[in-house]
C-alpha cells in the first residue's frame, strides 16, 4: 500500500483549511472561517477519492496473485 497524489493533496488541503479557519477566528473573519471549513471538506473528499483509488489498486494487485 502506497500513498497516491490525491491522498497527499487532500490531506494538505484539509490542513490548509484548518489553518485558514483558525486564522479567521483570530482576526474575527467569518468569511475566512467558512472558506477554511470548505477547504477542509474539499480536502477530505479528495483524500477519500485517493483512498478509494488505493483500495481498488490493492484489490487489482491481490487478484493478480
Amino acid at each position: 500500500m502506497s500513498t497516491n497524489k490525491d491522498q497527499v493533496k487532500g490531506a494538505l488541503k484539509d490542513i490548509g483549511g484548518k489553518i485558514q479557519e483558525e486564522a479567521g477566528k483570530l482576526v474575527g473573519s467569518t468569511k475566512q472561517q467558512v472558506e477554511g471549513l470548505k477547504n477542509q471538506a474539499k480536502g477530505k473528499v479528495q483524500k477519500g477519492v485517493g483512498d478509494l483509488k488505493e483500495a481498488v489498486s490493492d484489490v487489482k494487485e491481490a487478484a493478480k496473485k
Side-chain angles (χ1 to χ4, degrees):
M1 185 167 157
S2 63
T3 305
N4 62 44
K5 67 179 179 177
D6 284 315
Q7 290 170 314
V8 173
K9 287 181 179 181
L12 291 173
K13 195 175 287 183
D14 183 28
I15 291 168
K18 288 177 184 176
I19 292 169
Q20 186 176 13
E21 178 191 8
E22 291 302 316
K25 286 179 185 177
L26 286 173
V27 298
S29 172
T30 305
K31 181 180 177 185
Q32 287 301 314
Q33 290 176 48
V34 170
E35 286 298 317
L37 290 169
K38 286 193 321 190
N39 285 333
Q40 288 176 58
K42 288 177 186 177
K44 285 177 175 56
V45 168
Q46 187 172 9
K47 184 179 179 305
V49 168
D51 291 345
L52 181 59
K53 286 180 180 178
E54 187 66 32
V56 169
S57 176
D58 290 346
V59 168
K60 284 181 181 178
E61 285 297 316
K64 289 180 182 178
K65 294 180 182 180

